[in-house]
Amino acid sequence: MKRFYFCLISISLFFSFNSYGQEFMVKGKIVDAATGSPIEAATIYVETLKDSTLITYTITNAEGIFALEGKTAYKKARLAFSSNGFKSQSKEITLKPVIEIGSIRMEEQVQQLEGIDLIGERVPITVKKDTLEFNADSFKTRPDATVEDVLKKLPGVEVDSDGTITVNGKEVNQVLVNGQVFFSTDPKVATKTLSKDVISKIQITDTKTKEQEFVGDDGDGENKTINLTLKEDKNKGYMGRLSGGYGTDDRYQANGLVNYFNETQRISVLGSSNNINNPGFSFDEIYEMVGNSGGRSVRFNDSGGFSVGNMSFGFGQGITTSSTVGTSYADQEKGKYRIDGNYFYSYSDSYNDEKIARENILPDGSYFTDTETSFVGNTNSNQGSANLEFDVDKTTRISVRPNLSVNNTNSSNAENTVSTDEDGNLLNDNTSLQKTDGFQRNFRNRVEIMKRLDTMGRYVRVYFNNDNRVSDSETLLNSERNIYGDNASQNILDQRTIIDNSNDSYEIGASYRQPMNKDLYLDFRYKYENNEQKNERSVFDFDESTGGYTFNSSLSSEFDFNVKKHVPEVGFGSNGKKFRFNVRARLEQNDLKNEDYIQSTSFSKDYSNLLFSSYANYDFGNNKRMGLHYRSQLSVPSVNQMQPVPNVSNPLNIIQGNPNLDPQINHNIYLNFNNYNWKDRTGLFLWANMGIQEDQIVSVTTTDEDFIRTTTYQNVKGNYNSAMGINYSKQIKKDSLYTLKFTLRPSASLNNRVGFTNGSRLEARTFAFRPRAGILFNYKEMLELEPEYTLVLNTTRYNLDNVEDVDFTTHNLSFKVTSYWPENLVWGNDITYSYNGNLGDGFDKDALFWNMSLGLQMFKKKATLKVLAYDLLNQNINTRRTTGQDFIQDFQGTALRRYFMGSLTIKFDSFGGKGAPNKRGRRFMRF
């Protein structure tokens, strides 16, 4: 099989590289007609005369010089020049090996008159001060492509198999439509549901906070935002997708999405129901009927739940049956308001069976626990949020961001654990059944007022946050614990636990900026937080004499935990054109108080810590940028880590807090270098980070002679984590024949974890090396190949001589083949081989995971009839190995296995309004 795929790739590459065509090069310089100064980042591109298909493009350097190289079968083409703020130019040329055009003098763009629309040429890429803008139509895709498909064609943009988008190595954390949230900031909701043919521009910028957006500051460059602008003729009307399928083992999926656009207004409604772990928001024509437990590749830690932005549905592991309905609304008027909101209702059922084999490391040896669990549960969720922004005048903005969620949960978990020594002798076992009914309500809101005080950058900001949570639950626990050996005993628990928990947090803050000159500024900030948690934990033991439950005061608690925080802060920074930096110092003063009314205990703590944060970004020009970030963060211990009341829900591991804990301080340093060569379509991204956990709060375990563990918490030093990596990409495009993109992403990490067991210090130092390489090859939109290989070399070294070090290797080789030939027939294959080395006996180490689909597009590609085979070889697994300072653990959980499904997807749309011009490549005016 490997030989077959290698031959297929080789044949495809042979035909593509040897396609007929001639090479050409256009050389020249772009200058300002008025001043004669060079124009940097001007776009030069060549397109066909027949249908304006993009052949190739480049941009000018700092001296305005360019050298445009390409290869095409056409003898004549249109050569065009464009730059932001200047009039575009174009002319027809005869292609030959070298074309010298000298200096092109570009005139400044005259401001558009009121009542006149000026429509220019279709420029493939525009480089602005802080924005990359791509013309979607300049990047050829198949007619039924989604936004995700066109993103894969863009230089410097990569889309992983799970839909994660990176731009020059930086992750995209939100995708907007016409500058507005589309259901949520989760990028996949927009990229997997919207068709490419409704998108005009794809704009990529650094992600900004609300404050940076209002005052005009640049983002820190660590994340990217994509804004999709709709075509003029698609800005009024509606578009929808309906999809449904049914298969073997009663597997099914049905989903639908309708979007209504009316200029700046958008209304969207979606619905989904399935039992294949799919949120139902994807309308991929080839692969959308696949689940998430294994998905398109074998993942050793997959979850059965899913999420949209910060809203989650399902429990997280196993197989989930879910039904969801949601609606979203957005509208805006420039200079007056911008509003968006969404609401989701979801119901889900989940089940998951797990098997865990764990080696527990002790100073003088090890013992082993084997656990099997069976979990079932359901959730009933209502979640809604909104973002409301109002511009009172040109200098004042008020924003309100409420979020409300109400959830009901019900679960049952049966567990059986057996412990043995190194010779296989039985030590203890425990069988338990735990049933829980829960209710959670959370309301968050942020009100913010920002005002610019002058045009020099002076501004003031005040805000108020509240976070109010209620979490109630009732749990019935039945367990039987047996201890074997000389001290044989049996312990039976029949307990009822009722928890009423509320957490109310309020924060008020203000900031003021004082400019010192054009670039330098001082920031002054202050915030006050008040967090109060009230928890009533009532434990009742079954009394056989009375036939009822009696109150257990030793395991119950009723506490009031309060944290007050004062944080004054001062910062100094610069917003220079090339060099930007900011240095901040803040004093965090925490006052903790806890009182338990049942245990008659109380404790209080005062922490005062001086913390720093800073960043520096330097722009070298020509898309080269370097960044250095440092941040220190304070983590106050939670009440569960400090509350000295034992938790016996697991009779083999009793947990009790430590009221003498100090806060944990995390220091993190991050360095990156970014370079993208638009001329060569080559991207390089280097990054490294180092994290040091000062006084980290870790679990401390004591194991008695019966191998019953008691766990508490303690501050330790010596924990750190570090990582570094390289992202390299190269895109080759030859006319409209093929596109070839290489990606190489090696990375390495070194972590040190410290803990204590039976009074001895345990350290585990783990080193991992992860080389990763991939290719995306597309031939005439008829054949697409995506091979990718990832290798992980993992070593763990322990400080105890009696503990054997751990080395293991994992391999992940994936190969996606999609064929769009013959016309209207789509054949997709998604194959992944995974090997997880060094798993224990009884665990599956490797699997060959294969999804296949065959789709027939009908009615002018408005409908697709498809047959899907999921996990064709029935080898999907959900296994993984993890290591810690005092354990080595193998895990295997429920995975979605083989099924076959038939489905039908229907598209419909209707757009009206003025409509966009149907002429391309020429300039004209419309009155």
Side-chain angles (χ1 to χ4, degrees):
M1 180 177 292
K2 293 180 180 178
R3 182 176 299 175
F4 166 77
Y5 290 123
F6 178 79
C7 292
L8 183 59
I9 296 175
S10 300
I11 292 171
S12 301
L13 292 175
F14 174 82
F15 279 110
S16 62
F17 279 114
N18 291 278
S19 300
Y20 170 75
Q22 64 170 322
E23 295 183 352
F24 64 89
M25 177 183 288
V26 183
K27 295 182 177 180
K29 184 177 182 179
I30 308 295
V31 298
D32 188 329
T35 64
S37 57
I39 301 176
E40 184 180 1
T43 304
I44 303 93
Y45 60 99
V46 174
E47 61 184 11
T48 62
L49 297 174
K50 180 181 178 181
D51 58 2
S52 298
T53 297
L54 179 67
I55 297 174
T56 186
Y57 70 92
T58 189
I59 64 172
T60 57
N61 60 18
E63 288 74 40
I65 298 171
F66 69 89
L68 177 64
E69 297 178 88
K71 181 179 180 180
T72 180
Y74 296 99
K75 294 184 178 181
K76 292 186 176 183
R78 179 180 296 110
L79 176 65
F81 313 92
S82 176
S83 181
N84 189 42
F86 292 87
K87 292 181 180 180
S88 299
Q89 298 182 31
S90 67
K91 62 181 178 178
E92 184 178 317
I93 61 171
T94 300
L95 298 175
K96 51 187 179 180
V98 179
I99 304 172
E100 297 276 2
I101 63 171
S103 294
I104 301 297
R105 302 175 67 83
M106 300 189 71
E107 297 180 357
E108 187 176 353
Q109 176 71 61
V110 179
Q111 187 174 358
Q112 179 179 301
L113 299 176
E114 186 176 356
I116 299 177
D117 286 337
L118 188 63
I119 309 299
E121 289 89 350
R122 188 183 66 189
V123 182
I125 178 173
T126 302
V127 181
K128 301 180 181 178
K129 177 180 179 290
D130 58 354
T131 304
L132 285 176
E133 184 176 275
F134 298 95
N135 191 310
D137 286 337
S138 294
F139 298 87
K140 187 179 179 182
T141 60
R142 66 183 193 272
D144 60 325
T146 63
V147 170
E148 184 177 273
D149 295 316
V150 73
L151 288 176
K152 293 180 180 180
K153 309 290 184 183
L154 303 182
V157 179
E158 297 176 32
V159 183
D160 289 343
S161 59
D162 63 355
T164 300
I165 307 166
T166 55
V167 178
N168 297 339
K170 302 296 183 70
E171 184 174 343
V172 173
N173 63 346
Q174 66 176 354
V175 172
L176 309 177
V177 178
N178 282 349
Q180 299 168 306
V181 173
F182 187 77
F183 275 103
S184 82
T185 55
D186 184 351
K188 292 183 280 292
V189 180
T191 59
K192 288 181 175 292
T193 59
L194 290 177
S195 296
K196 176 250 186 181
D197 56 11
V198 303
I199 303 300
S200 172
K201 306 289 185 183
I202 300 173
Q203 299 166 331
I204 302 176
T205 62
D206 291 339
T207 299
K208 297 183 178 182
T209 65
K210 295 290 184 182
E211 184 177 2
Q212 290 169 336
E213 182 182 298
F214 179 72
V215 300
D217 281 357
D218 293 328
D220 60 15
E222 295 313 300
N223 294 106
K224 296 290 184 179
T225 293
I226 291 179
N227 180 48
L228 307 172
T229 64
L230 299 179
K231 291 180 179 177
E232 185 182 347
D233 63 335
K234 306 297 184 183
N235 237 341
K236 218 169 191 180
Y238 65 86
M239 58 175 291
R241 304 288 185 269
L242 297 175
S243 183
Y246 186 79
T248 58
D249 298 327
D250 292 324
R251 296 297 174 196
Y252 71 90
Q253 174 165 320
N255 55 10
L257 172 68
V258 178
N259 292 297
Y260 169 76
F261 301 97
N262 185 8
E263 301 298 346
T264 61
Q265 187 182 70
R266 177 185 55 79
I267 302 174
S268 302
V269 178
L270 65 78
S272 169
S273 183
N274 70 88
N275 60 359
I276 58 173
N277 292 353
N278 194 327
F281 306 135
S282 171
F283 285 87
D284 190 301
E285 296 298 322
I286 306 104
Y287 299 104
E288 91 274 3
M289 291 289 178
V290 295
N292 195 32
S293 186
R296 300 192 198 173
S297 62
V298 178
R299 300 173 190 164
F300 291 99
N301 58 352
D302 260 339
S303 67
F306 55 88
S307 62
V308 180
N310 60 352
M311 296 174 289
S312 300
F313 310 94
F315 280 94
Q317 288 286 348
I319 298 176
T320 298
T321 299
S322 64
S323 296
T324 304
V325 63
T327 183
S328 173
Y329 175 82
D331 194 10
Q332 64 180 338
E333 183 175 345
K334 188 174 181 180
K336 290 188 177 181
Y337 64 85
R338 181 170 62 180
I339 59 176
D340 62 73
N342 61 66
Y343 166 77
F344 285 94
Y345 168 79
S346 177
Y347 178 83
S348 66
D349 288 302
S350 304
Y351 71 89
N352 181 43
D353 295 330
E354 294 181 355
K355 181 171 64 173
I356 299 173
R358 178 179 177 125
E359 178 183 353
N360 302 282
I361 300 171
L362 299 176
D364 54 354
S366 299
Y367 74 99
F368 302 86
T369 55
D370 292 289
T371 303
E372 293 186 0
T373 65
S374 180
F375 173 88
V376 293
N378 63 70
T379 64
N380 192 315
S381 304
N382 291 271
Q383 305 183 61
S385 63
N387 179 29
L388 315 174
E389 292 185 1
F390 303 96
D391 291 331
V392 179
D393 52 41
K394 292 183 178 181
T395 64
T396 307
R397 175 173 295 172
I398 300 175
S399 65
V400 183
R401 281 173 276 171
N403 185 299
L404 174 66
S405 65
V406 179
N407 304 307
N408 290 278
T409 61
N410 179 277
S411 64
S412 174
N413 190 42
E415 180 175 307
N416 181 48
T417 300
V418 177
S419 301
T420 58
D421 62 18
E422 293 176 304
D423 297 323
N425 299 314
L426 188 62
L427 299 174
N428 58 54
D429 62 42
N430 182 70
T431 302
S432 66
L433 176 64
Q434 183 171 287
K435 297 182 178 180
T436 302
D437 288 320
F439 170 80
Q440 301 88 35
R441 183 182 68 242
N442 175 218
F443 173 68
R444 304 192 309 272
N445 189 31
R446 182 180 180 91
V447 179
E448 192 168 14
I449 302 174
M450 295 177 287
K451 184 173 180 62
R452 288 188 292 265
L453 302 177
D454 56 27
T455 59
M456 296 296 295
R458 193 162 56 105
Y459 71 92
V460 64
R461 175 181 70 112
V462 295
Y463 67 89
F464 173 78
N465 289 338
N466 67 278
D467 191 340
N468 308 100
R469 301 172 183 263
V470 172
S471 179
D472 301 332
S473 66
E474 181 176 353
T475 300
L476 295 177
L477 172 65
N478 290 276
S479 71
E480 179 180 324
R481 184 188 69 188
N482 295 292
I483 298 175
Y484 302 94
D486 297 336
N487 299 318
S489 65
Q490 183 181 67
N491 178 266
I492 296 177
L493 279 180
D494 185 350
Q495 280 186 347
R496 177 171 174 250
T497 302
I498 299 175
I499 296 178
D500 294 318
N501 182 75
S502 65
N503 194 322
D504 296 300
S505 177
Y506 301 94
E507 177 184 341
I508 187 170
S511 61
Y512 170 77
R513 172 167 294 182
Q514 176 60 51
M516 301 177 65
N517 57 30
K518 180 183 177 182
D519 295 328
L520 298 177
Y521 60 84
L522 284 173
D523 278 342
F524 301 93
R525 304 188 178 201
Y526 172 80
K527 70 176 180 180
Y528 168 75
E529 294 181 32
N530 186 0
N531 183 292
E532 184 172 14
Q533 181 178 355
K534 295 183 178 181
N535 184 287
E536 183 177 348
R537 184 172 185 264
S538 302
V539 180
F540 301 86
D541 294 319
F542 183 75
D543 188 342
E544 292 185 355
S545 62
T546 63
Y549 288 90
T550 59
F551 185 70
N552 186 329
S553 59
S554 63
L555 299 181
S556 301
S557 62
E558 182 182 355
F559 64 79
D560 189 342
F561 184 67
N562 182 261
V563 181
K564 291 183 172 65
K565 180 186 292 187
H566 298 268
V567 186
E569 180 179 304
V570 61
F572 171 68
S574 169
N575 278 326
K577 183 177 180 180
K578 285 188 171 293
F579 182 57
R580 294 184 294 114
F581 73 89
N582 187 284
V583 179
R584 297 183 183 277
R586 65 188 188 278
L587 180 65
E588 289 200 13
Q589 299 171 296
N590 288 275
D591 180 14
L592 279 66
K593 291 183 180 180
N594 182 77
E595 184 171 1
D596 193 314
Y597 302 103
I598 292 180
Q599 301 297 327
S600 299
T601 61
S602 63
F603 60 84
S604 61
K605 292 282 185 177
D606 290 316
Y607 306 122
S608 183
N609 300 86
L610 182 62
L611 305 173
F612 297 91
S613 62
S614 63
Y615 74 84
N617 288 314
Y618 186 79
D619 190 344
F620 296 92
N622 294 325
N623 297 290
K624 294 180 183 178
R625 178 190 288 183
M626 177 177 285
L628 176 64
H629 297 250
Y630 166 76
R631 183 168 180 82
S632 56
Q633 291 180 297
L634 187 72
S635 180
V636 175
S638 68
V639 65
N640 292 327
Q641 293 172 328
M642 302 182 72
Q643 183 75 358
V645 179
N647 182 342
V648 296
S649 57
N650 181 355
L652 298 181
N653 185 20
I654 301 169
I655 301 175
Q656 184 169 333
N658 175 12
N660 298 314
L661 290 175
D662 291 324
Q664 174 180 319
I665 301 178
N666 300 314
H667 304 272
N668 187 266
I669 301 174
Y670 178 68
L671 173 68
N672 67 77
F673 173 75
N674 189 289
N675 179 22
Y676 195 86
N677 187 322
W678 295 104
K679 176 180 177 294
D680 297 331
R681 294 179 175 85
T682 302
L684 180 64
F685 178 65
L686 308 175
W687 60 272
N689 74 274
M690 178 73 182
I692 299 174
Q693 292 79 45
E694 182 181 339
D695 290 328
Q696 182 168 2
I697 300 171
V698 301
S699 59
V700 178
T701 302
T702 301
T703 304
D704 64 19
E705 65 275 8
D706 296 321
F707 293 89
I708 305 301
R709 290 182 294 161
T710 301
T711 299
T712 186
Y713 302 94
Q714 183 176 321
N715 295 105
V716 299
K717 298 182 183 297
N719 285 278
Y720 63 83
N721 60 277
S722 59
M724 63 182 300
I726 302 172
N727 289 9
Y728 173 81
S729 65
K730 171 71 175 179
Q731 187 183 66
I732 301 172
K733 186 179 186 300
K734 293 299 182 182
D735 203 356
S736 57
L737 296 177
Y738 68 80
T739 301
L740 186 64
K741 181 187 288 188
F742 300 92
T743 58
L744 182 63
R745 286 182 279 181
S747 64
S749 63
L750 177 65
N751 303 320
N752 196 64
R753 288 164 289 182
V754 179
F756 285 88
T757 183
N758 284 10
S760 296
R761 181 183 175 98
L762 292 180
E763 289 191 39
R765 182 173 298 146
T766 301
F767 174 77
F769 177 57
R770 302 177 183 85
R772 179 179 178 182
I775 297 174
L776 173 62
F777 174 74
N778 185 286
Y779 179 73
K780 287 189 173 181
E781 299 302 324
M782 295 170 55
L783 179 67
E784 191 164 88
L785 309 176
E786 294 183 67
E788 184 176 88
Y789 173 68
T790 303
L791 171 69
V792 180
L793 304 173
N794 190 292
T795 65
T796 301
R797 299 291 179 261
Y798 294 92
N799 67 317
L800 298 181
D801 294 335
N802 64 300
V803 180
E804 186 177 351
D805 296 329
V806 177
D807 298 321
F808 64 92
T809 302
T810 65
H811 302 268
N812 193 286
L813 176 63
S814 64
F815 189 46
K816 185 189 292 185
V817 183
T818 310
S819 170
Y820 302 96
W821 184 89
E823 188 177 2
N824 296 323
L825 194 66
V826 183
W827 183 35
N829 289 271
D830 191 353
I831 305 170
T832 299
Y833 173 76
S834 292
Y835 175 82
N836 193 4
N838 209 32
L839 284 171
D841 295 335
F843 290 85
D844 296 324
K845 292 187 177 182
D846 67 341
L848 184 62
F849 184 67
W850 187 356
N851 291 335
M852 179 190 293
S853 70
L854 185 64
L856 176 64
Q857 297 176 320
M858 306 175 295
F859 307 114
K860 298 181 179 180
K861 302 186 184 297
K862 292 294 185 181
T864 300
L865 185 65
K866 185 178 64 177
V867 177
L868 170 80
Y870 176 84
D871 188 19
L872 185 62
L873 303 180
N874 203 32
Q875 293 189 22
N876 190 22
I877 58 176
N878 180 16
T879 62
R880 64 179 177 267
R881 162 160 285 204
T882 55
T883 60
Q885 71 271 9
D886 60 353
F887 71 90
I888 303 170
Q889 179 174 290
D890 296 329
F891 166 91
Q892 183 166 320
T894 298
L896 192 63
R897 303 298 291 266
R898 179 172 59 194
Y899 66 85
F900 301 89
M901 180 176 289
S903 68
L904 176 65
T905 300
I906 300 173
K907 306 176 184 179
F908 55 92
D909 55 59
S910 177
F911 294 100
K914 296 179 180 180
N918 56 14
K919 298 181 181 180
R920 303 163 73 182
R922 288 176 171 79
R923 182 181 303 279
F924 66 94
M925 292 185 178
R926 184 180 66 241
F927 294 87

